[in-house]
Amino acid sequence: MPLLQEDFYTIDDIYTLPDGKRAELIDGEMYMMAPPNRIHQKILMELSATIRDYIRGKSGSCEVYPAPFAVFLNKDNKNYVEPDISVICDKNKLTDKGCNGAPDWVIEIVSPSSQSMDYLTKLFKYRSAGVREYWVVNPMKKTVLTYLFEKKEDSNQYVFSDRINSQIYEDFSICISELLNES
């Protein structure tokens, strides 16, 4: 009796999804994505704009891309993600299709359906792919977990009312409650 063959997907399968359907691909396994809710989108917009404005104000060369934005994480055909926010400092990684390789800073905004992906699966993938800094923003718990994967690995947990320092930009910090006008 033949062994059952598991489905193995490639990036080509992502591009053949029907219009309006989004998915990510991790090690050949496809994960469908639910549409984000309003608070998710508000956090995405405010964080993206704040980071972009900071970089522009410092005449920095890094670029900020909110989802949907394609990241071909391992430069192979079986890993494709759409981080909520990608900050890319190496312009050689950018093409018309997206980013080839790891962004420098990735922010994921958790939804009820994405918790295990954001806290576990993507944490490992981003770390092993070479992401320098990773934030997991949880609107339901109003917490932010930050991970630094450079020289000395570190992680910290914050609440939305805390001022959170970026490790990539030493003089940059964000208070999510302020961004959302939740004083």
Side-chain angles (χ1 to χ4, degrees):
M1 180 171 171
L3 294 174
L4 292 176
Q5 183 177 358
E6 289 187 35
D7 289 333
F8 179 82
Y9 296 97
T10 67
I11 290 172
D12 291 336
D13 296 308
I14 294 289
Y15 284 107
T16 61
L17 289 172
D19 285 345
K21 297 283 185 189
R22 291 177 47 218
E24 293 180 306
L25 190 64
I26 296 182
D27 297 328
E29 189 170 339
M30 191 177 300
Y31 298 89
M32 300 306 292
M33 298 170 65
N37 64 26
R38 183 192 63 79
I39 191 66
H40 179 284
Q41 292 303 94
K42 184 173 182 176
I43 293 170
L44 173 70
M45 180 66 186
E46 295 300 330
L47 279 172
S48 297
T50 302
I51 296 166
R52 182 206 59 213
D53 291 349
Y54 168 81
I55 293 169
R56 282 184 180 169
K58 295 288 186 174
S59 299
S61 61
C62 300
E63 295 188 20
V64 180
Y65 292 94
F69 179 73
V71 174
F72 305 95
L73 203 53
N74 297 106
K75 299 181 188 177
D76 61 23
N77 72 343
K78 61 182 183 169
N79 286 284
Y80 167 98
V81 292
E82 292 183 6
D84 287 311
I85 300 172
S86 299
V87 178
I88 298 135
C89 300
D90 181 354
K91 289 195 173 41
N92 292 322
K93 291 181 178 180
L94 296 172
T95 69
D96 287 342
K97 286 190 171 191
C99 177
N100 288 314
D104 293 272
W105 182 10
V106 169
I107 299 174
E108 292 286 4
I109 303 164
V110 176
S111 63
S113 63
S114 73
Q115 291 186 65
S116 67
M117 281 290 289
D118 294 335
Y119 285 113
L120 301 172
T121 307
K122 287 184 177 179
L123 171 65
F124 174 77
K125 287 307 286 187
Y126 291 149
R127 181 180 176 266
S128 63
V131 169
R132 295 167 54 198
E133 185 168 354
Y134 177 46
W135 288 17
V136 183
V137 178
N138 188 326
M140 298 158 291
K141 294 182 179 179
K142 295 191 176 200
T143 59
V144 180
L145 281 171
T146 65
Y147 298 91
L148 178 63
F149 301 131
E150 285 194 297
K151 304 161 195 147
K152 179 184 146 194
E153 289 192 20
D154 193 20
S155 65
N156 291 289
Q157 182 167 337
Y158 302 92
V159 295
F160 277 19
S161 59
D162 290 335
R163 185 146 293 281
I164 306 167
N165 294 311
S166 166
Q167 299 299 307
I168 291 178
Y169 302 109
E170 293 177 9
D171 63 340
F172 178 66
S173 65
I174 295 175
C175 175
I176 294 180
S177 289
E178 289 175 9
L179 292 179
L180 301 177
N181 296 317
E182 297 179 349
S183 304

